[in-house]
Amino acid sequence: MIEIGNLLTHDQAEQLAIKIRNAYWDIEKFPVDPVSIGQKLGIRIVDAVLPEDIAGALLKKIGEGPIIMLHGKDPINRKRFTLAHELGHYVHRLERGHFDDQEIDHVDHRNQDSRKGSDEEEISANRFAASLLMPAQKVKSLCKHKVDVYQLSEFFKVSTSAMKYRLNTLEIDCP
Ligand SMILES: [Zn+2]
């Protein structure tokens, strides 16, 4: 268990995603499938009819398993990132270790531009998601082979904006 207070630093979120990917996914296989990882964590993942401004939610009732709801009409790559983000919230709670019979009712609104935002847990969940789907090492090794951001986003099955953001975070220049 990673020793943390209530919040993960961004580096810890990055490391936690590596740990989860190593445990629940074949690290050589891309794109990473967050559905498979979530299911192995015992989470039910459902496409749902949600209000337009809600991207996803992580829910758990006492005595029941966790559920992640995704906005059913979102494009697949967006849903993959939202799911990875929700997994970040879940795993973060697991790591805090006082999880067993707690209720969770976490809803993610689109307009809370959390990539720039102030909510540290949201930023960490995004960092977790980016690291889970776009592992730093793999991004770096691909970038040595002169691939561009569009090829990268296709490879990792993420939106180009998520890919660009990841390259920025990792301070990698790609065409
Ligand atoms: Zn969130």
Side-chain angles (χ1 to χ4, degrees), residues 67-113:
I67 299 178
I68 289 175
M69 286 189 174
L70 301 172
H71 193 102
K73 288 185 189 157
D74 276 348
I76 178 70
N77 287 356
R78 178 179 280 186
K79 276 200 278 194
R80 283 166 47 77
F81 195 90
T82 303
L83 172 53
H85 173 102
E86 301 301 339
L87 291 177
H89 284 304
Y90 181 74
V91 171
H92 180 193
R93 282 166 170 74
L94 278 186
E95 285 291 313
R96 289 198 317 226
H98 46 82
F99 180 74
D100 254 3
D101 239 356
Q102 284 182 5
E103 195 149 337
I104 310 174
D105 185 5
H106 181 88
V107 177
D108 275 304
H109 292 266
R110 296 186 199 285
N111 54 9
Q112 65 194 21
D113 192 354

Side-chain angles (χ1 to χ4, degrees), residues 98-174:
H98 46 82
F99 180 74
D100 254 3
D101 239 356
Q102 284 182 5
E103 195 149 337
I104 310 174
D105 185 5
H106 181 88
V107 177
D108 275 304
H109 292 266
R110 296 186 199 285
N111 54 9
Q112 65 194 21
D113 192 354
S114 49
R115 286 195 302 206
K116 302 175 197 128
S118 55
D119 185 331
E120 282 297 321
E121 188 181 339
E122 292 309 321
I123 298 170
S124 288
N126 276 336
R127 188 66 181 263
F128 176 95
S131 172
L132 191 75
L133 299 177
M134 299 168 271
Q137 261 192 332
K138 191 68 183 177
V139 176
K140 283 174 189 160
S141 82
L142 287 174
C143 283
K144 283 183 192 142
H145 296 94
K146 308 263 179 267
V147 291
D148 65 26
V149 67
Y150 299 99
Q151 290 169 306
L152 284 175
S153 53
E154 238 164 74
F155 180 83
F156 291 112
K157 245 175 160 296
V158 294
S159 69
T160 50
S161 69
M163 195 66 240
K164 284 178 187 165
Y165 196 85
R166 181 63 168 156
L167 291 170
N168 257 331
T169 308
L170 296 173
E171 298 178 350
I172 294 172
D173 274 328
C174 236

